[in-house]
């Protein structure tokens, strides 16, 4: 399923002009199930880079076979969802989530980005809200390593998460999408005016 949102409500197949008479950039979210092996391996290369890997729960290097087998398993998994994020035609990161509770619709999102400005990363995370809404996900939980100050600031100040508690290694955060709906919806509307947003779910 491919969905597009554009500022003027029309999908002409071309980028629109914004009020500054500049071409609008595109943010695209493509499910791993629709990616080629080459793109999946490019994602693996970035994921295994030390600066990204050291912030993961699994800090080990993942092999090619492990990665491709995991990606293949996503075809039959209704609780894990992974999306490659593209800024225009450039792969910039991954956004994912795991469904923790089907009744309460509680989920744990995750993301990592490479070679992109923090403002685009913020815009991509807010634009991903559309995916969570399509899957009727309501309550979000996060864990952030205590030595990852950038992620903690990003999640609390940019995305509106609250710190619920902590253990020796992680801060535990949460957010209810309905509670901060007005604020997030305003941000989403603004982002949809800045970008052509495309989703292949």
């Amino acid at each position: 399923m491919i969905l597009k949102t554009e500022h003027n409500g029309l999908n002409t197949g071309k980028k629109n002009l914004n009020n500054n008479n500049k071409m609008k950039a595109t943010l695209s979210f493509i499910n791993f199930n629709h990616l080629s092996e080459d793109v999946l391996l490019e994602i693996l290369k970035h994921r295994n880079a030390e600066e990204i890997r050291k912030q993961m729960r699994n800090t080990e290097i993942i092999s090619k076979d492990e990665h491709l087998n995991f990606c293949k398993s996503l075809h039959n998994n209704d609780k894990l969802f992974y999306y490659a994020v593209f800024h225009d035609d450039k792969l910039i990161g991954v956004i994912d989530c795991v469904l923790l509770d089907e009744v309460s619709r509680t989920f744990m999102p995750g993301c990592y980005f490479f070679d992109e400005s923090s403002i685009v990363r913020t815009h991509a995370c807010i634009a991903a809200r559309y995916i969570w809404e399509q899957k009727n996900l309501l309550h979000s939980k996060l864990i952030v390593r205590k030595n990852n100050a950038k992620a903690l600031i990003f999640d609390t100040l940019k995305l509106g998460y609250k710190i619920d508690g902590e253990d020796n290694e992680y801060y535990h955060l949460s957010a209810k999408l309905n509670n901060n709906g007005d604020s997030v919806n305003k941000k989403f509307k603004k982002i949809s005016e800045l970008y052509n947003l495309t989703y292949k779910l």
Side-chain angles (χ1 to χ4, degrees):
M1 177 170 58
I2 302 177
L3 300 164
K4 294 184 179 180
T5 65
E6 300 195 10
H7 182 37
N8 61 4
L10 300 175
N11 179 13
T12 64
K14 298 179 180 179
K15 295 178 182 177
N16 294 334
L17 299 178
N18 63 19
N19 293 332
N20 294 325
N21 202 35
K22 294 180 180 179
M23 297 292 283
K24 288 174 68 174
T26 298
L27 278 177
S28 301
F29 300 80
I30 302 180
N31 192 300
F32 272 31
N33 293 338
H34 302 298
L35 297 176
S36 68
E37 183 173 309
D38 286 343
V39 176
L40 292 174
L41 292 178
E42 183 179 354
I43 289 171
L44 176 64
K45 179 187 70 176
H46 289 292
R47 185 269 169 210
N48 278 340
E50 183 179 1
E51 63 271 18
I52 292 176
R53 176 168 48 86
K54 69 182 181 182
Q55 300 300 343
M56 300 286 190
R57 294 188 73 175
N58 175 14
T59 59
E60 300 297 321
I61 291 177
I62 296 175
S63 71
K64 174 183 175 180
D65 287 343
E66 288 175 321
H67 179 65
L68 293 179
N69 286 336
F70 170 77
C71 294
K72 184 177 180 180
S73 74
L74 294 174
H75 288 268
N76 300 312
N77 196 320
D78 59 0
K79 293 186 178 181
L80 285 175
F81 309 97
Y82 279 73
Y83 302 88
V85 185
F86 293 83
H87 186 203
D88 291 326
D89 294 326
K90 179 184 177 184
L91 176 67
I92 64 168
V94 170
I95 285 179
D96 63 83
C97 82
V98 54
L99 179 61
L100 300 175
D101 189 291
E102 294 186 22
V103 176
S104 66
R105 307 308 294 173
T106 299
F107 69 108
M108 180 177 289
C111 67
Y112 56 91
F113 292 93
F114 30 85
D115 300 331
E116 201 56 56
S117 68
S118 62
I119 189 65
V120 174
R121 299 179 187 197
T122 302
H123 291 169
C125 287
I126 294 173
R129 177 184 172 88
Y130 178 83
I131 301 173
W132 314 145
E133 289 180 343
Q134 290 298 301
K135 297 188 176 300
N136 192 32
L137 301 176
L138 304 176
H139 308 282
S140 178
K141 293 185 178 292
L142 286 179
I143 58 171
V144 179
R145 288 186 183 275
K146 288 188 170 181
N147 64 355
N148 193 352
K150 287 184 178 180
L152 184 64
I153 292 171
F154 180 80
D155 291 328
T156 54
L157 297 184
K158 300 289 187 180
L159 301 182
Y161 281 84
K162 306 296 182 183
I163 298 176
D164 290 334
E166 61 183 282
D167 56 34
N168 291 336
E169 192 171 0
Y170 296 98
Y171 289 111
H172 298 258
L173 288 70
S174 68
K176 292 183 179 180
L177 299 189
N178 290 344
N179 284 1
N180 61 355
D182 288 342
S183 173
V184 173
N185 285 338
K186 288 179 181 178
K187 291 179 180 179
F188 183 87
K189 182 179 179 181
K190 182 177 181 181
I191 289 169
S192 68
E193 294 171 352
L194 294 174
Y195 300 92
N196 296 320
L197 300 178
T198 302
Y199 303 84
K200 191 169 185 179
L201 306 181

